[in-house]
Amino acid sequence: MTTLFIPSPSSGVWYLGPLPLRGYALCIIAGIIAAIWIGERRWVGRGGLRGEVTDLALWAVPFGVIGGRLYHVITDHDLYFGDDKSPIQALYVWRGGLGIWGAIAFGAVGVYLGAKSKGIRVPPVLDAMAPGVLVAQAIGRWGNWFNQELFGRPTDLPWGLEIDIAHRPVGYLEVQTFHPTFLYEFLWCLAAFAVVVWADRRFQLGHGRVLALYVMAYTLGRGWIEMLRIDDVQLQNVLGLRLNVWTSIILFAAATTYFVVVGRRHPGREEQIYTQPEESEEPEESEEDDTGAEAGPA
């Protein structure tokens, strides 16, 4: 092990009397709060009403948690089903195991249903919310640090992550430091957030193109980060690549195609963000802030 390294926490759970506080869950909650705050400011900047993104989050969050867990359980079902397994643990979300692809897909369905019920056009509100999701993902990745999971290959670099022997996979019991893939994804997501917000402000993106750019930016990083990981997954050799690498490649290609095609057909932003504008209140005039939105008074 190198003389310099990133230590892992000795415990990811703390107790307030009988109540457990889990680092993983706290990171997820903090990420959700950050995404809602950023999404609200961006939505108001696009002409929406304050509070509507929070309302949509009441749809998106439970849908996202369900979708994320389903994706994880389906792609790693051997962890929960079979001899000497406990299927009930498939419901233990607080212990980790949320597949981002399922969470995003189901979360978007939740936003769609909520937006339809409120007379909000779906593409502009997804464009407003998408960059904040990158920040949520960045914060949420620290939950993997608390759980000492989803780290990368062994490394002697000064920023190698120290992993307790109880959390090391078979074949790596003698290795002490590994690539901190949680940290790589944290930094990548924050950089992607800055790029997406800048591009949205610079080119006045609309019609779902901010969402597409979010998918492009995230999958571009997730692909190479995924290739560093050594955690045992069921579909880790699909034509020579892990399933999540192929998913990143396919989604990147699909998002890029959408971004280009829609950009040619619908340059600029939507002029109307509600399906029934006559029933919507007029939002206050506002000025741009550093989230890429025009934020009004708090």
Side-chain angles (χ1 to χ4, degrees):
M1 183 173 66
T2 62
T3 56
L4 294 175
F5 59 88
I6 300 173
S8 289
S10 57
S11 175
V13 185
W14 309 274
Y15 289 88
L16 291 178
L19 178 66
L21 296 178
R22 301 181 183 275
Y24 182 89
L26 293 176
C27 290
I28 297 297
I29 292 170
I32 291 171
I33 293 172
I36 293 173
W37 182 80
I38 293 170
E40 284 282 15
R41 296 181 68 85
R42 286 178 51 79
W43 181 238
V44 170
R46 293 206 170 201
L49 298 178
R50 197 178 303 278
E52 288 181 326
V53 166
T54 301
D55 292 341
L56 295 181
L58 296 177
W59 291 79
V61 172
F63 270 78
V65 171
I66 293 171
R69 192 60 175 177
L70 278 174
Y71 184 92
H72 166 71
V73 172
I74 290 172
T75 55
D76 283 294
H77 57 81
D78 281 357
L79 295 175
Y80 308 102
F81 304 99
D83 296 338
D84 301 323
K85 302 296 182 180
S86 177
I88 190 65
Q89 293 187 7
L91 302 177
Y92 295 174
V93 178
W94 55 89
R95 292 186 177 178
L98 291 175
I100 187 61
W101 311 120
I104 295 300
F106 274 58
V109 171
V111 172
Y112 173 85
L113 295 175
K116 288 296 184 181
S117 71
K118 295 176 67 66
I120 296 173
R121 295 187 185 275
V122 176
V125 78
L126 286 176
D127 280 347
M129 297 174 70
V133 177
L134 280 166
V135 176
Q137 291 173 245
I139 297 173
R141 274 304 174 195
W142 284 88
N144 301 140
W145 178 64
F146 282 109
N147 284 355
Q148 296 196 45
E149 62 183 0
L150 307 186
F151 43 85
R153 296 193 296 263
T155 182
D156 290 328
L157 293 170
W159 55 84
L161 176 66
E162 182 184 29
I163 297 295
D164 295 339
I165 191 169
H167 297 279
R168 299 172 198 165
V170 175
Y172 297 91
L173 298 181
E174 302 302 319
V175 181
Q176 295 183 338
T177 54
F178 301 80
H179 278 285
T181 50
F182 85 91
L183 182 60
Y184 298 163
E185 191 161 333
F186 167 76
L187 295 173
W188 182 273
C189 285
L190 291 185
F193 168 77
V195 170
V196 171
V197 167
W198 170 83
D200 182 30
R201 181 184 299 174
R202 173 68 176 79
F203 300 106
Q204 296 291 291
L205 301 176
H207 301 279
R209 296 180 76 207
V210 178
L211 176 65
L213 187 59
Y214 149 72
V215 174
M216 293 161 60
Y218 177 67
T219 54
L220 188 63
R222 178 60 186 269
W224 68 264
I225 293 171
E226 185 75 24
M227 293 180 71
L228 287 174
R229 283 169 39 173
I230 58 173
D231 50 299
D232 189 23
V233 295
Q234 287 175 251
L235 301 175
Q236 61 184 2
N237 188 0
V238 180
L239 300 178
L241 296 174
R242 291 161 67 105
L243 174 64
N244 281 334
V245 176
W246 280 115
T247 304
S248 294
I249 293 171
I250 293 170
L251 288 177
F252 178 85
T256 302
T257 301
Y258 179 93
F259 187 87
V260 173
V261 172
V262 172
R264 290 175 177 173
R265 294 179 178 177
H266 304 287
R269 290 181 179 170
E270 302 89 339
E271 295 183 1
Q272 183 53 250
I273 61 174
Y274 293 100
T275 57
Q276 298 175 320
E278 67 278 6
E279 297 180 5
S280 305
E281 300 176 17
E282 288 293 329
E284 300 179 13
E285 298 270 336
S286 49
E287 297 180 355
E288 289 224 354
D289 70 359
D290 57 4
T291 62
E294 297 177 357

